[in-house]
């Protein structure tokens, strides 16, 4: 049985957009099928920015509808893990930091749905003297 193209008039257009996006992303798979979207993790209403200077790394994340007590942060020096929960969503995001940071120097603030975490850059590797 042949599918009638009039049922899905935009299928060809969406397939072509997917193909072009995959080409731009160097073969990374991009899927615009909304039925496969999962309502967990950072969604379209959440945004994460990373700002880097010589001395510090600043991560800013939008967490709409989340209470401060429902946010958990962990860092291993290379990756910041943000876990948060609201009445309607569970957020779990791993943010790869652009350079190694001193996770023990971290400070975090949360105000009006915006989380800001600041890290000092880790010291450069020290030389090892050979005796």
């Amino acid at each position: 049985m042949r599918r009638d193209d009039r049922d899905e008039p935009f299928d060809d257009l969406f397939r072509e957009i997917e193909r072009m996006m995959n080409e731009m992303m160097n073969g990374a798979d991009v899927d615009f099928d909304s039925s496969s979207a999962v309502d967990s993790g950072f969604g379209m209403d959440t945004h994460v920015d990373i700002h880097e200077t010589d001395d510090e790394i600043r991560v800013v994340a939008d967490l709409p509808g989340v209470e401060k007590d429902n946010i958990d942060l962990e860092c291993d020096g290379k990756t910041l893990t943000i876990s948060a929960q609201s009445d309607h969503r569970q957020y779990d995001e791993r943010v790869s930091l652009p350079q190694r940071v001193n996770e023990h120097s971290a400070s975090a603030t949360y105000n009006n749905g915006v989380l800001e975490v600041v890290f000092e850059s880790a010291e450069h590797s020290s030389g090892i003297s050979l005796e």
Side-chain angles (χ1 to χ4, degrees), residues 101-120:
V101 297
N102 180 354
E103 65 270 21
H104 303 292
S105 71
S107 64
T109 59
Y110 184 68
N111 191 16
N112 292 328
V114 179
L115 172 69
E116 184 173 338
V117 185
V118 179
F119 299 97
E120 290 178 5

Side-chain angles (χ1 to χ4, degrees), residues 58-92:
R58 182 179 307 268
V59 178
V60 179
D62 297 330
L63 298 173
V66 176
E67 295 295 324
K68 181 179 177 179
D69 295 336
N70 295 333
I71 300 173
D72 184 40
L73 304 171
E74 292 181 18
C75 184
D76 64 3
K78 293 188 246 178
T79 304
L80 171 65
T81 302
I82 303 170
S83 300
Q85 184 175 348
S86 71
D87 292 338
H88 306 286
R89 294 185 113 159
Q90 173 70 34
Y91 300 99
D92 288 304

Side-chain angles (χ1 to χ4, degrees), residues 39-70:
D39 193 25
S40 66
F42 284 97
M44 296 300 279
D45 57 346
T46 304
H47 186 76
V48 178
D49 278 325
I50 300 174
H51 305 278
E52 180 179 6
T53 66
D54 291 338
D55 301 326
E56 68 182 20
I57 304 291
R58 182 179 307 268
V59 178
V60 179
D62 297 330
L63 298 173
V66 176
E67 295 295 324
K68 181 179 177 179
D69 295 336
N70 295 333

